[in-house]
Amino acid sequence: MKKCQSKGMSIHRSQIKILGIILLCIFFISNVHAQLPIKIVNGKVTRDDGTFGKFQIQKYTLLIDSLNKKLKLNPKDTTSLFIRSALYLFSNDVQSKPNQREKGALENLILAKEMVENAVTYGMQDLRLKILRAQIYRELVYRFTGDESWMFDSKQTTVRRKQFNSYKGLANKYYQELALSDSSRAYDYNKLKVNDVYPL
């Protein structure tokens, strides 16, 4: 009887160990998908996932789905807003360079801009967020720097010139703020300021 009990207990313990290992694996995998490794290089926010070359959006499908669900449930989740806006920027950068008028490029950046501004409004203080915000506005400016004379009439170009100047002004304002608050990278931020003029 005792042998049966001890045998049953050892089976029970081994099952608990296996269950514990499975739960740890699930926890580890979910944490991997819940984070986007990011670093600051030359005044820019860039991914730090060990890959080189083009950003591979398919690698982050699970993370994007998770972030979209989280933001639907809690639109004020600043970490999710930050990571989702960074993913918009990284994927947009691949899709639309050198083609400034790639379909969806401007729209994705506007979504990223709204998310990053919301994260700031909701109180996120992370330096990376402030850099990302300046970077997104800088990329928005880029969408307007090509020759657009054959695409838009005078009313449309007036609207687009206003958008260009607004994005340029905000990009430079945010880079100036960064140069003052993060003086060790001031050279990088000043170098990233926008000097382009709307071509029309």
Side-chain angles (χ1 to χ4, degrees):
M1 186 75 174
K2 283 182 181 178
K3 281 184 180 179
C4 289
Q5 284 179 340
S6 63
K7 195 174 181 181
M9 284 179 72
S10 65
I11 290 169
H12 184 64
R13 282 180 188 155
S14 64
Q15 286 174 335
I16 289 171
K17 281 182 182 177
I18 291 167
L19 183 62
I21 290 166
I22 290 168
L23 288 171
L24 278 171
C25 288
I26 290 168
F27 177 76
F28 176 74
I29 289 165
S30 65
N31 272 343
V32 168
H33 289 303
Q35 295 298 321
L36 174 67
I38 282 174
K39 62 183 176 180
I40 301 168
V41 179
N42 299 326
K44 289 184 179 182
V45 167
T46 183
R47 68 190 192 279
D48 188 21
D49 58 5
T51 61
F52 300 96
K54 283 188 177 181
F55 177 72
Q56 297 171 4
I57 191 70
Q58 64 276 10
K59 184 178 176 180
Y60 293 98
T61 304
L62 288 175
L63 176 57
I64 289 167
D65 289 344
S66 172
L67 290 168
N68 290 343
K69 286 173 187 171
K70 280 184 184 178
L71 287 169
K72 200 170 183 181
L73 291 169
N74 182 12
K76 295 185 178 182
D77 181 344
T78 55
T79 302
S80 295
L81 286 166
F82 167 68
I83 296 170
R84 188 65 186 96
S85 58
L87 284 163
Y88 269 124
L89 177 67
F90 297 155
S91 59
N92 190 77
D93 194 46
V94 172
Q95 290 171 343
S96 53
K97 283 190 174 177
N99 187 0
Q100 293 155 306
R101 287 175 290 277
E102 181 75 25
K103 190 176 179 182
L106 180 60
E107 292 77 7
N108 285 346
L109 279 172
I110 289 170
L111 284 172
K113 170 185 74 74
E114 289 168 359
M115 287 181 170
V116 85
E117 290 291 4
N118 283 341
V120 171
T121 300
Y122 299 141
M124 190 173 185
Q125 296 293 322
D126 196 314
L127 173 65
R128 297 171 305 168
L129 176 72
K130 294 173 183 177
I131 294 171
L132 181 67
R133 178 171 62 170
Q135 201 170 330
I136 288 168
Y137 278 100
R138 189 173 189 270
E139 282 298 308
L140 278 163
V141 172
Y142 177 75
R143 298 290 139 249
F144 296 84
T145 54
D147 177 13
E148 300 179 336
S149 56
W150 57 279
M151 291 185 70
F152 303 107
D153 60 32
S154 59
K155 286 182 181 177
Q156 289 172 315
T157 54
T158 299
V159 170
R160 288 179 69 82
R161 187 184 300 108
K162 283 181 182 176
Q163 286 178 304
F164 172 92
N165 288 329
S166 172
Y167 295 145
K168 176 182 175 180
L170 287 168
N172 288 341
K173 175 191 170 189
Y174 295 142
Y175 277 125
Q176 181 60 28
E177 288 175 0
L178 283 163
L180 293 171
S181 63
D182 184 23
S183 57
S184 63
R185 295 188 183 94
Y187 174 80
D188 292 329
Y189 299 136
N190 285 320
K191 199 174 175 184
L192 288 167
K193 285 180 182 177
V194 179
N195 296 313
D196 298 278
V197 176
Y198 188 67
L200 296 177

